[in-house]
Amino acid sequence: LASASSLLAQAPANDLCANAQVVTLGTFSGDDTGATLDPSTPAWTIGNNVVGDVYYEYTATFDGPVTINFCNSAGTHTDTEIEIFDGGCGALNLIASNSDGCAGSYLSDVTFNGVNGTVYTFRVGGWGGTTGSFDGQIIATPPPPPGPANDLCADAIAIALGPFSGDNTSGSLDTSTPAWVTGAGVSSDVYYTYTPTLDAPLSLTTCGSGGTLTDTVFEVFTGGCGALELVASNDDGCGIPGNYLSTVGWLGQAGVTYTIRVGGWGGAEGTFDLDLSYGSFAQTVSVN
């Protein structure tokens, strides 16, 4: 005859907080059959008559919302409870919980704000003493990389005559400025300002650029960021077959601040090398 103890379900390996199973983004599986309550942790604040639970640890790898749910579970557990804590096992601090968050079922779905590098402990139990196997998933989307420092007109970088480099990667369009009229499909631009000290033609070019942005578009304005007026623009002005870089000229006036924005045709992004210099009165200028 089997002993009475052999008929009892064995407690899961992660029955206690100290033995929490480490999980990462993606799917994980578990089972709280035979689980007990860890007396060193706070009492459950949701559900009803949770008689056993299992513990997990997740470390956030970036700032942003984190969702843990069992909505697509194919396990035998049909009524899960979940509580999420920060702090170590001896000092758990409840930050989020859920009972019946999945539509059409009694399974759980909870979202909390993750902080990069923070270890979160969460436990899974069953309403009314229910137990069983479950499939969970942890979902978090990294925030987009920060845009360039001069992504907005208000943050335009002041430049001087000579060569300089830029990058419109992960930039956006400043909705406070006029829509692009040059090129097509520009979705990312960066801003610069230049104030000449004498009246003279000016020339701006990327024709010799060694950057990764191979199809530039320029627009030059006068006026403040809230009232920009187009002075000159160019797309594919280098005159070299197969070269889609830009060059633009305009008549600069001493003391006038010109705002220059650089974008990529068709949504192109990347690094670029620019050169701002005096032109000549014989050059072709694009004046609006």
Side-chain angles (χ1 to χ4, degrees):
L1 295 176
S3 66
S5 60
S6 68
L7 298 177
L8 298 176
Q10 183 178 2
N14 56 337
D15 186 36
L16 301 179
C17 180
N19 299 326
Q21 177 183 334
V22 175
V23 290
T24 58
L25 289 177
T27 59
F28 65 96
S29 296
D31 195 326
D32 64 349
T33 303
T36 62
L37 294 176
D38 186 341
S40 71
T41 61
W44 277 81
T45 61
I46 62 170
N48 177 55
N49 195 32
V50 176
V51 298
D53 47 32
V54 286
Y55 287 80
Y56 298 88
E57 277 188 6
Y58 166 74
T59 302
T61 54
F62 47 82
D63 294 344
V66 178
T67 296
I68 304 175
N69 71 57
F70 308 99
C71 298
N72 297 318
S73 176
T76 59
H77 208 324
T78 57
D79 198 339
T80 56
E81 313 286 329
I82 184 171
E83 290 187 337
I84 300 170
F85 305 86
D86 58 16
C89 285
L92 293 179
N93 174 54
L94 182 66
I95 60 171
S97 61
N98 183 259
S99 179
D100 304 330
C102 299
S105 75
Y106 298 109
L107 299 174
S108 307
D109 183 357
V110 64
T111 298
F112 62 97
N113 189 43
V115 177
N116 185 33
T118 300
V119 177
Y120 296 94
T121 299
F122 65 94
R123 63 183 176 188
V124 181
W127 190 93
T130 57
T131 62
S133 60
F134 49 83
D135 304 310
Q137 55 182 341
I138 304 176
I139 305 167
T141 303
N150 56 337
D151 188 31
L152 301 178
C153 179
D155 298 321
I157 295 174
I159 57 174
L161 293 175
F164 61 97
S165 298
D167 192 339
N168 73 329
T169 303
S170 300
S172 61
L173 294 178
D174 187 340
T175 56
S176 71
T177 60
W180 277 83
V181 297
T182 309
V186 177
S187 60
S188 172
D189 52 29
V190 287
Y191 289 80
Y192 302 90
T193 60
Y194 174 69
T195 305
T197 57
L198 70 163
D199 296 344
L202 291 167
S203 176
L204 180 70
T205 182
T206 52
C207 292
S209 175
T212 58
L213 181 58
T214 58
D215 197 339
T216 55
V217 185
F218 292 161
E219 288 186 342
V220 181
F221 302 88
T222 55
C225 286
L228 294 179
E229 295 185 11
L230 187 64
V231 171
S233 62
N234 182 258
D235 177 28
D236 306 341
C238 294
I240 304 170
N243 185 308
Y244 301 105
L245 298 174
S246 308
T247 186
V248 67
W250 72 99
L251 299 174
Q253 291 180 286
V256 174
T257 297
Y258 295 92
T259 298
I260 301 161
R261 67 178 175 188
V262 182
W265 192 94
E269 296 182 350
T271 60
F272 50 84
D273 301 313
L274 283 158
D275 188 73
L276 178 65
S277 62
Y278 289 124
S280 71
F281 286 99
Q283 74 184 41
T284 301
V285 296
S286 303
V287 179
N288 185 43

